[in-house]
Amino acid sequence: MQDTTANQVAANATSSFTEHLQRNRPGLLPYNQPFPAALTGAGSQPLQVPHATTIVSLTYGGGVLMAGDRRATMGNVIASRHIEKVFPADSYSVLGIAGTAGIAIDLTRLFQVELEHYEKIEGTLLSLEGKANRLGAMIRGNLPMAMQGLAVVPLFAGFDLPVGIGRLFSYDVTGGRYEEKEHHAVGSGSVFARGALKKLWRPGLTAEEAVAVAVESLYDAADDDSATGGPDPVRQLWPVVYTVERSGARRIPDHDLASVAGAIIEARTTARREA
Amino acid sequence: MTQQFYVSPEQLMKDRADFARKGIARGRSVVVISCEEGIALVAENPSPSLHKIGEIYDKIAFAAVGKYNEFESLRQAGVRYADVRGYSYDREDVTARGLASVYAQSLGAVFTAEQKPFEVELAVAEVGGNQSDDHLYRLTFDGSIADEKRFIVMGGQADKVAETVESGWQQELNFAGAIRLAMKGLVTDKEAGELPASALEVAVLDRASESTRGSRRAFRRLGDDEIAALLSKEN
């Protein structure tokens, strides 16, 4: 192609915030500061940083739901009891993150700005597939950090407005994107959460039932995985739960979660079963 | 060797300013009004997709008259500036004042250094917790910046429109009242008594977006139906 002014203008036109940063302010990208090899190289101790753990997500009749526990761990120490790992990405999608908490939270912030930036520049929302692909590209951007042990594994869920259904995407560290039917979980407690989801999930759940299923699967994950935090009646801490429906993303208020978690704890207490 | 004609700097700047003014005067007007519920931005614009009014950030909106490609590139630059700033510091560190001074610098640089000045006039509006915290900045093609109160009128017939808006403005206006007033101003010089909703572009910066809509983004574009409803409803 000829290097005309028009070509240059076209090449520089981008609706992507990440691309804009990459070009003009690369230092601001969360994954663009290389860590010294002495800290993360072969043979060194793994870097002790907070890790976010279990996220579960499931579809239901009117949309899709995502829930995360509130614990972050650093080795065998609880780093935080209040961390939030599920965030609204924009008005019709939510994002949950497991892995290195610091990078994951920055990636989330970047993704939120990315979607809003596109919306403002273009004057229209990105399609759900488009959002899922952008997130995949950002996770791939983090691959060098993941190779140094600072991996981030997200779950992405949103309402596909033209199709009219809630959809759910999982990722691997290389940015590979996989659409999940029914339900999925990521993080250290995910194997246990997934087992619970398999038994509790059924097609056509209502939103209230979906919340109960999500909280119970997190309860099971916390029961067997020390890095996952269960409901905490002492501190009045409940999982962070978001639903996404045609009307948009909504955070389930704490008092609803308190009664859902209370019911589960009560049922288990009554059953008096060991495992 | 051909001799370059000498043109005095005064004459050069005057010519550029005249050129830019002429370009702006050809366009239709935009009115930005601060009212009780927030800030209303109203433009005469028959296109449903090529906007003269746009969202920049949470509490900040943009309105422009003049050449579309020039103000659109400025709008996009503003969105990039605001998003980078909000991402690297915090969302509350993005202010209309900062954005307006960046615009003033770029417009000033283009006016003095480029082949031709931008034929645009911009307004940057930031909605505050109450009316005295609203900020309205007017930026002209040469990089001049003015901090306005109550309202801004820009475009071809700015003086006439401003007269009408001035006479009808009061602090207690709600959105419907402000939009009706702006429209009354916009039709000042026309034979037609009214503008249809489809010929108007209207957006608002909602003062209470957090409590009423649960969104920190105060900007909202109104659809044709909503505009028609607002215009027909009496106070």
Side-chain angles (χ1 to χ4, degrees):
Chain A
M1 270 237 267
Q2 274 183 306
D3 196 30
T4 61
T5 314
N7 281 343
Q8 275 174 20
V9 169
N12 281 321
T14 170
S15 312
S16 162
F17 183 68
T18 317
E19 240 169 75
H20 172 66
L21 284 188
Q22 189 80 56
R23 244 180 243 164
N24 299 292
R25 305 287 298 278
L28 284 180
L29 286 174
Y31 40 75
N32 254 8
Q33 284 111 2
F35 277 75
L39 273 178
T40 51
S44 63
Q45 291 286 314
L47 200 56
Q48 287 276 314
V49 288
H51 268 68
T53 47
T54 314
I55 309 290
V56 300
S57 184
L58 55 132
T59 60
Y60 60 90
V64 61
L65 173 148
M66 193 175 287
D69 70 309
R70 303 295 295 273
R71 181 174 290 181
T73 54
M74 199 158 67
N76 62 334
V77 172
I78 296 174
S80 169
R81 292 187 172 85
H82 301 265
I83 190 175
E84 299 196 356
K85 317 167 196 175
V86 181
F87 305 91
D90 65 358
S91 35
Y92 294 103
S93 61
V94 291
L95 171 70
I97 41 125
T100 312
I103 296 170
I105 287 168
D106 267 8
L107 271 178
T108 305
R109 239 156 48 82
L110 181 62
F111 187 58
Q112 288 169 330
V113 180
E114 172 88 16
L115 299 187
E116 190 186 314
H117 187 78
Y118 182 94
E119 186 186 335
K120 290 190 288 196
I121 295 279
E122 299 279 331
T124 164
L125 283 171
L126 201 54
S127 67
L128 189 65
E129 293 266 347
K131 293 174 198 171
N133 287 339
R134 281 312 298 170
L135 182 59
M138 283 166 58
I139 298 302
R140 181 167 299 143
N142 192 52
L143 187 57
M145 301 279 265
M147 301 293 285
Q148 298 185 353
L150 303 174
V152 176
V153 183
L155 256 184
F156 179 65
F159 194 82
D160 195 328
L161 284 165
V163 186
I165 52 163
R167 296 169 68 186
L168 166 60
F169 299 90
S170 72
Y171 296 84
D172 63 33
V173 286
T174 65
R177 190 204 90 172
Y178 313 95
E179 180 159 7
E180 305 288 344
K181 305 291 170 192
E182 305 180 355
H183 49 74
H184 197 72
V186 293
S188 62
S190 61
V191 277
F192 311 110
R194 214 173 291 171
L197 281 171
K198 273 188 185 169
K199 299 299 166 208
L200 298 170
W201 188 89
R202 58 184 164 75
L205 288 169
T206 66
E208 290 75 39
E209 288 166 340
V211 171
V213 167
V215 173
E216 186 153 5
S217 62
L218 281 177
Y219 188 99
D220 280 335
D223 210 26
D224 285 321
D225 172 40
S226 62
T228 304
D232 191 339
V234 176
R235 298 183 183 81
Q236 291 286 301
L237 287 176
W238 318 109
V240 175
V241 185
Y242 277 88
T243 57
V244 196
E245 303 182 359
R246 184 173 291 283
S247 54
R250 185 175 84 94
R251 184 170 175 161
I252 304 295
D254 270 356
H255 58 84
D256 290 4
L257 292 168
S259 62
V260 172
I264 292 168
I265 294 171
E266 203 185 305
R268 303 253 168 152
T269 314
T270 317
R272 297 192 64 172
R273 286 176 52 193
E274 173 52 36
Chain B
M1 200 177 111
T2 49
Q3 186 80 37
Q4 276 226 313
F5 283 112
Y6 173 76
V7 183
S8 73
E10 288 93 337
Q11 189 59 45
L12 190 69
M13 292 304 149
K14 195 177 160 300
D15 287 352
R16 285 169 168 241
D18 287 345
F19 169 81
R21 261 189 221 106
K22 265 185 210 156
I24 294 163
R26 277 195 292 272
R28 300 183 172 110
S29 302
V30 171
V31 185
V32 180
I33 301 186
S34 159
C35 62
E36 198 171 26
E37 288 180 83
I39 297 175
L41 305 103
V42 183
E44 192 189 343
N45 181 7
S47 165
S49 55
L50 301 174
H51 300 307
K52 293 177 159 188
I53 296 169
E55 175 183 12
I56 299 279
Y57 211 64
D58 294 354
K59 307 284 172 214
I60 305 173
F62 169 99
V65 291
K67 267 192 109 173
Y68 179 79
N69 70 327
E70 293 177 348
F71 68 67
E72 176 64 9
S73 72
L74 285 167
R75 184 188 71 84
Q76 295 194 356
V79 171
R80 294 204 178 100
Y81 161 83
D83 279 348
V84 169
R85 200 176 162 87
Y87 174 71
S88 58
Y89 296 112
D90 187 74
R91 293 196 81 93
E92 64 189 74
D93 298 311
V94 181
T95 60
R97 198 202 61 80
L99 178 69
S101 71
V102 171
Y103 276 146
Q105 285 171 25
S106 5
L107 284 166
V110 169
F111 184 73
T112 47
E114 299 283 312
Q115 285 249 307
K116 99 171 187 52
F118 274 1
E119 298 156 65
V120 296
E121 197 168 338
L122 314 179
V124 174
E126 178 179 3
V127 69
N130 54 58
Q131 220 161 2
S132 56
D133 293 337
D134 284 355
H135 292 291
L136 301 176
Y137 296 100
R138 174 207 294 273
L139 294 135
T140 47
F141 53 86
D142 59 355
S144 322
I145 175 168
D147 187 350
E148 306 269 356
K149 289 278 160 234
R150 302 183 295 161
F151 63 86
I152 295 179
V153 179
M154 311 178 295
Q157 307 292 327
D159 294 343
K160 276 191 196 167
V161 181
E163 240 170 67
T164 315
V165 176
E166 168 89 66
S167 65
W169 191 86
Q170 45 191 323
Q171 197 162 3
E172 296 77 32
L173 279 175
N174 59 9
F175 278 141
I179 291 163
R180 268 200 294 272
L181 175 62
M183 204 183 78
K184 210 168 120 197
L186 289 176
V187 295
T188 312
D189 63 328
K190 290 200 176 51
E191 287 85 53
E194 233 169 76
L195 285 167
S198 60
L200 283 178
E201 182 185 352
V202 181
V204 296
L205 280 172
D206 201 336
R207 207 179 289 292
S209 67
E210 252 129 315
S211 53
T212 55
R213 280 189 282 132
S215 161
R216 59 181 179 217
R217 288 165 73 182
F219 184 87
R220 196 164 68 87
R221 195 179 287 288
L222 306 191
D224 282 355
D225 301 347
E226 265 178 299
I227 300 172
L230 277 181
L231 294 178
S232 64
K233 194 170 64 187
E234 279 309 311
N235 262 338

